[in-house]
Amino acid sequence: LQAVENEWFYLKPISLIDVDTLYEKGYVLRAVELLRSKIESANFFAFKDPRVAKLLPFWNQVVNHLQLNVNYVMTLRHPLSVVKSLEKRDDFFPVRSYLLWLGHVLESLRGSTGKPRVLVDYDRLIQSPDIELSRLADAFQLKINSVELEEYKNNFLDAKLRHTVYSPEDLLLDAACPPIVYEVFTKLLGVASGEVSLDDPSLQREIAALIAEFDRLKTIFNLV
């Protein structure tokens, strides 16, 4: 991100010109070499970093070069929880955090289109890890190790990290929340709950329209 004058907390999205710059500076080759070293002796390999959402145009180029079978797990967290967390940790203004949430979510949806993917709601995972992990396993044709599952539930998941549980309608009470954030969040909650598929044509059209609306704000985001 820094190589293209960006940061995780910038509203400015990554452009195709940025990806070309990373290629010219050797970052694509470095990523190919790194990823190849990680997967050479592994049947399965995964990595997690929120910045990947911004950098998916870059990482997609890397995995396409390696011809990897890639699956995406996208985590949906309540925007108000994100706002409160960033306010406490980084002293961010709420509207900035809402737009950061929006940018990360929409870019992850755009960058994962056409690939196997699952959307997992953070609150649902904390509340019902068995159900959510079963969804993941079914989607990616994986088997769950019962011993590891118990280890994950009892020693890894920490319910105390979920300080407050908000309802979607709570967003309507916050004047700082842009309407598009509420719209995106409620639509994706339906996906996370299994009511609708992320690849449903109707939902795809709605998401495409929301991404187009977001793209029209890029000039403003660059200025900010």
Side-chain angles (χ1 to χ4, degrees):
L1 286 171
Q2 292 174 351
V4 290
E5 299 181 355
N6 208 310
E7 296 283 359
W8 71 266
F9 50 84
Y10 283 11
L11 298 179
K12 177 182 177 182
I14 295 296
S15 68
L16 294 179
I17 294 176
D18 291 328
V19 177
D20 289 340
T21 299
L22 292 173
Y23 174 82
E24 292 167 2
K25 290 185 176 182
Y27 282 92
V28 174
L29 177 59
R30 286 174 56 186
V32 165
E33 293 173 337
L34 176 62
L35 204 49
R36 184 178 284 144
S37 70
K38 296 287 187 182
I39 65 175
E40 61 183 358
S41 60
N43 292 324
F44 299 97
F45 174 76
F47 71 99
K48 170 251 180 188
D49 191 309
R51 288 164 291 195
V52 170
K54 291 195 70 165
L55 286 166
L56 267 181
F58 166 81
W59 281 109
N60 281 338
Q61 192 173 109
V62 173
V63 298
N64 288 339
H65 177 82
L66 289 169
Q67 297 183 322
L68 299 179
N69 177 25
V70 179
N71 301 313
Y72 294 91
V73 180
M74 293 178 290
T75 305
L76 183 67
R77 193 175 180 193
H78 197 294
L80 199 50
S81 294
V82 173
V83 166
K84 295 299 182 182
S85 178
L86 291 179
E87 186 176 43
K88 180 179 179 180
R89 192 189 72 182
D90 300 300
D91 201 28
F92 283 0
F93 289 115
V95 67
R96 177 182 185 177
S97 298
Y98 278 124
L99 291 174
L100 280 172
W101 179 94
L102 180 66
H104 280 69
V105 169
L106 291 182
E107 292 295 348
S108 67
L109 290 170
R110 187 207 310 262
S112 63
T113 299
K115 304 286 178 63
R117 54 185 180 172
V118 172
L119 186 71
V120 178
D121 176 57
Y122 179 82
D123 290 326
R124 284 177 174 269
L125 178 65
I126 296 293
Q127 183 178 355
S128 306
D130 301 73
I131 295 174
E132 295 306 308
L133 290 177
S134 292
R135 286 181 62 235
L136 281 174
D138 291 343
F140 299 152
Q141 298 179 340
L142 300 173
K143 293 183 179 179
I144 294 179
N145 182 310
S146 58
V147 175
E148 294 291 343
L149 174 60
E150 291 305 311
E151 174 71 16
Y152 177 77
K153 289 163 50 180
N154 298 324
N155 298 321
F156 182 80
L157 285 185
D158 186 356
K160 290 184 292 185
L161 292 176
R162 188 176 59 157
H163 303 294
T164 306
V165 180
Y166 297 101
S167 75
E169 287 67 33
D170 289 342
L171 293 171
L172 301 175
L173 303 178
D174 188 357
C177 179
I180 188 175
V181 169
Y182 173 78
E183 190 173 355
V184 170
F185 181 61
T186 51
K187 289 184 185 304
L188 294 183
L189 272 182
V191 175
S193 64
E195 296 174 9
V196 61
S197 168
L198 193 54
D199 298 315
D200 177 81
S202 177
L203 180 61
Q204 282 291 298
R205 288 192 293 272
E206 293 181 52
I207 290 175
L210 292 167
I211 289 175
E213 182 178 345
F214 177 74
D215 285 343
R216 285 194 290 270
L217 299 174
K218 282 185 177 180
T219 302
I220 297 173
F221 292 157
N222 292 344
L223 176 62
V224 173

